Amino acid sequence: NKSEPTYNNNSVTSVYIEVVKNGSNKIEIERNGKLQSSNRISIISEVQGIKKKSKNKSFKEGERFNKGEILIEINSDEFNSTVKQSRSELKNLIASVLPDIKIDYAENFNNWKNYFDNLSVEEPISKIPESASEKENLFLVGRGIESTYYKVKNLEERLSKYDIKAPFSGILVNGNISEGAFIVPNQILGEFIDPNNFEVGVNIPVNIIEKIKLNQSVSIISGGNKDDIMGKIKRINRKVDEMTQTVKIFIEFNNRNLFEGKFVEVKIPLGVIPNSELIS
């Protein structure tokens, strides 16, 4: 009882076709990675003290600061008194040697007299006058003028660290300290970034790394923006990842519409292949 198969001879099989038209085609690969600010610093205190209340801007996430603006001001009243005391000691020391300078080194007396008159315990000191002779230099070193001067300069430098200023115009992305808190040396207080310059690191197969060139243009694949955001390859690592056999490259973008930590997809050109046809 064999049954004969039946065939529908009326069905037609349809396929999609495309006529090959050879030409020059750009080759690109797509990679994704996380954006990070290329100019990012951790704010760390080198001195200790109580954080003073901010006058204009608060030390909180999202606050913008211009270059040179004070990020954190630490109470320095006690240390400031020490600095004033050291300036006073230098002034007293110069006063004690002025009579000897007038007699033995008269050619340089006016310089030292003017320096003494302009020296104020309230203001940072200026550079001491140059010695007019080797004999005068030995005299001043023996009296401790030079060592006391550098002691004051050292204290003044440390006093400046009580005001932590923005090294560049940027935005605070992390703030770990509140008003009135006690700050200790080496404490991480927050993180500060440049919100206009970012970079993303992506891995490229080592067998095509020779096609990647420094300063080569790379675009972020549009994610709702009208135009693609363009960047450039700034660094190429020379170490191959042994597990994946890839090399990491870093692409820099200068655009204020990007955000720290955002995942983006980039399109990296690898050149042009002539006499070719691209298929899906």
Side-chain angles (χ1 to χ4, degrees), residues 235-264:
R235 303 194 309 279
I236 301 176
N237 197 354
R238 302 307 299 177
K239 180 174 173 22
V240 176
D241 188 310
E242 296 179 1
M243 298 295 294
T244 61
Q245 286 297 294
T246 57
V247 175
K248 198 161 194 175
I249 67 171
F250 296 89
I251 307 159
E252 187 177 68
F253 298 93
N254 188 348
N255 192 290
R256 63 180 59 192
N257 294 323
L258 300 175
F259 291 89
E260 169 92 357
K262 180 181 179 181
F263 279 93
V264 295

Side-chain angles (χ1 to χ4, degrees), residues 21-32:
K21 296 179 181 178
N22 285 342
S24 295
N25 291 285
K26 294 181 180 179
I27 303 301
E28 298 171 323
I29 60 171
E30 297 176 0
R31 289 290 184 269
N32 55 58

Side-chain angles (χ1 to χ4, degrees), residues 109-239:
F109 174 74
N110 288 335
N111 291 333
W112 280 103
K113 184 64 169 62
N114 291 334
Y115 185 84
F116 175 80
D117 292 338
N118 294 324
L119 183 59
S120 170
V121 297
E122 301 292 337
E123 300 293 335
I125 62 174
S126 58
K127 185 173 174 55
I128 56 177
E130 295 284 344
S131 300
S133 64
E134 182 64 23
K135 187 177 179 182
E136 180 188 349
N137 183 54
L138 291 173
F139 169 75
L140 295 172
V141 170
R143 292 299 184 93
I145 299 291
E146 193 175 72
S147 63
T148 305
Y149 164 77
Y150 284 110
K151 175 186 174 183
V152 176
K153 294 300 290 183
N154 181 52
L155 291 174
E156 288 182 345
E157 179 64 25
R158 190 157 186 83
L159 180 63
S160 67
K161 299 181 186 299
Y162 281 81
D163 290 341
I164 302 176
K165 298 180 179 179
F168 51 83
S169 296
I171 188 169
L172 192 70
V173 294
N174 190 13
N176 301 328
I177 198 73
S178 57
E179 307 289 348
F182 185 76
I183 297 172
V184 297
N186 300 322
Q187 179 181 352
I188 297 178
L189 307 175
E191 289 181 306
F192 190 70
I193 68 167
D194 180 352
N196 298 323
N197 295 288
F198 294 90
E199 70 176 20
V200 60
V202 296
N203 293 319
I204 301 296
V206 68
N207 61 330
I208 61 170
I209 194 64
E210 70 275 2
K211 300 180 184 296
I212 306 295
K213 307 298 181 185
L214 287 175
N215 295 318
Q216 184 177 331
S217 294
V218 175
S219 64
I220 291 180
I221 299 176
S222 181
N225 297 325
K226 185 177 180 181
D227 300 316
D228 288 346
I229 298 174
M230 300 301 297
K232 289 186 177 181
I233 297 174
K234 283 299 180 184
R235 303 194 309 279
I236 301 176
N237 197 354
R238 302 307 299 177
K239 180 174 173 22

